[in-house]
Amino acid sequence: MLYRRRKLDLPRGELDTPVLFPVRNIGKRSSDNTPTYVGTIPEFSAAMINARSIRNRDPMWQRISNGVTLREEMDVPEDTIVFADSGGFDFANEEVDTTPAKTLDTQSQLDADILGTVDIPLSRENRAAENQRRIDQSIEYALKASDHHDGVGLLFASVHGYDPETIRNNIQYLEKNGEFDGYALGSMVPIRTDYKKITKLILSARNATDKHLHVYGLGGLVYQPLLLYLGVDSFDSSAFIRSAGNRNYLIPGFGGEEIRNIEELDRLPCPCPVCGQKELDEIREDRTALTQHNLWALATELRRFRYVAESGRDIEEYLDLRFSGNEVTKRAYETAKQQMRRLT
Ligand SMILES: [Zn+2]
């Protein structure tokens, strides 16, 4: 069992892990359409933001340069913990338009608590040689960031690789040649349906370092328990926003359900502050309410896992049950379990 609880010592105080960073799309569009959750869902007093898209949003960046804080722009309390990634995800299709020093400068102007190094994601379509170039470039960027980092905020090196050896070697190389507070595994989203591979990659990262391990982009309802089981310390997700956009209602233990499939229901199977009060009809018409519920669903999933662990119940037994409803995820979990057995 690799599940673990720790604390991150951040400029704004301690953060209990494992933790989910809900992704805010501030800077991505004319306005941030994430509904209020900080202060509403206690364990989500943190957010993942894209440093590049904020920097590239001229009016917003001018306000921030003139003294308005990022948290004011986001309309959240000043003690909200922010993980600023480099926006490297956009470099899957776009040219890299920043440097490690410039990204660090942006991240520190945003008063980020956690800084992700500049990285270039891999693509399934890219040839091996091109992906290798991207892997090497990301390592170089991470080491440059390590040189420039002034020590304010934690620095997580972004790591890529499509096989366990590459991941392990990269982390060991970075550990030896740079100074990082943790590692963040990228390029997982394009292969997200290949659970077996994802499981192997995460396990190789987990075994390569005892430091904080973040996984980019996989914090949705189905992956969350799997990541916790594999000893991942933090993850992020925009699934709550995307699902709401697709009229998808997230249910812990089940996954997503299209609202049109359950239209006959008056009351939804969730007691969260949204569903506990409103009827399905109201929630269907209110995307903000649906988004808020979806975040509660992610919180509930996390709370259940913690409950199972803290109460001394058998986590594998819980996960057997948790994944029994879906053949694909069930097989994925079985694979993870076998790999875990081999480790011990
Ligand atoms: Zn709910």
Side-chain angles (χ1 to χ4, degrees), residues 230-251:
L230 297 171
V232 173
D233 300 299
S234 64
F235 29 85
D236 60 273
S237 177
S238 56
F240 61 104
I241 302 177
R242 274 183 293 108
S243 299
N246 298 327
R247 290 282 175 267
N248 227 310
Y249 180 83
L250 302 181
I251 314 173

Side-chain angles (χ1 to χ4, degrees), residues 6-17 19 21 81 83 114 154 156 181-182 211-213 233-234:
R6 290 197 167 179
K7 280 182 199 299
L8 280 181
D9 197 9
L10 300 169
R12 279 176 181 71
E14 286 186 332
L15 179 66
D16 289 314
T17 64
V19 66
F21 291 90
I81 288 164
F83 183 159
I114 301 173
L154 301 190
F156 287 1
D181 302 290
K211 285 187 179 168
H212 187 98
L213 180 64
D233 300 299
S234 64

Side-chain angles (χ1 to χ4, degrees), residues 317-330:
E317 223 168 75
Y318 164 67
L319 292 179
D320 285 337
L321 189 69
R322 172 68 184 73
F323 286 114
S324 64
N326 179 310
E327 268 313 306
V328 179
T329 51
K330 187 180 164 184

Side-chain angles (χ1 to χ4, degrees), residues 62-128:
Q62 264 168 31
R63 286 195 296 275
I64 287 172
S65 303
N66 290 330
V68 175
T69 70
L70 168 71
R71 280 120 183 127
E72 282 168 350
E73 283 289 319
M74 289 164 71
D75 198 18
V76 297
E78 280 303 314
D79 61 359
T80 303
I81 288 164
V82 167
F83 183 159
D85 75 10
S86 68
F89 194 69
D90 299 331
F91 302 142
N93 305 307
E94 293 172 41
E95 287 300 307
V96 179
D97 55 4
T98 185
T99 63
K102 188 178 166 193
T103 292
L104 278 177
D105 180 55
T106 305
Q107 288 161 331
S108 84
Q109 285 204 58
L110 295 174
D111 252 331
D113 301 88
I114 301 173
L115 328 167
T117 61
V118 178
D119 57 322
I120 323 177
L122 311 182
S123 152
R124 276 188 139 170
E125 283 83 57
N126 286 336
R127 293 147 45 109

Side-chain angles (χ1 to χ4, degrees), residues 249 270 272 275 293:
Y249 180 83
C270 169
C272 85
C275 312
H293 154 76

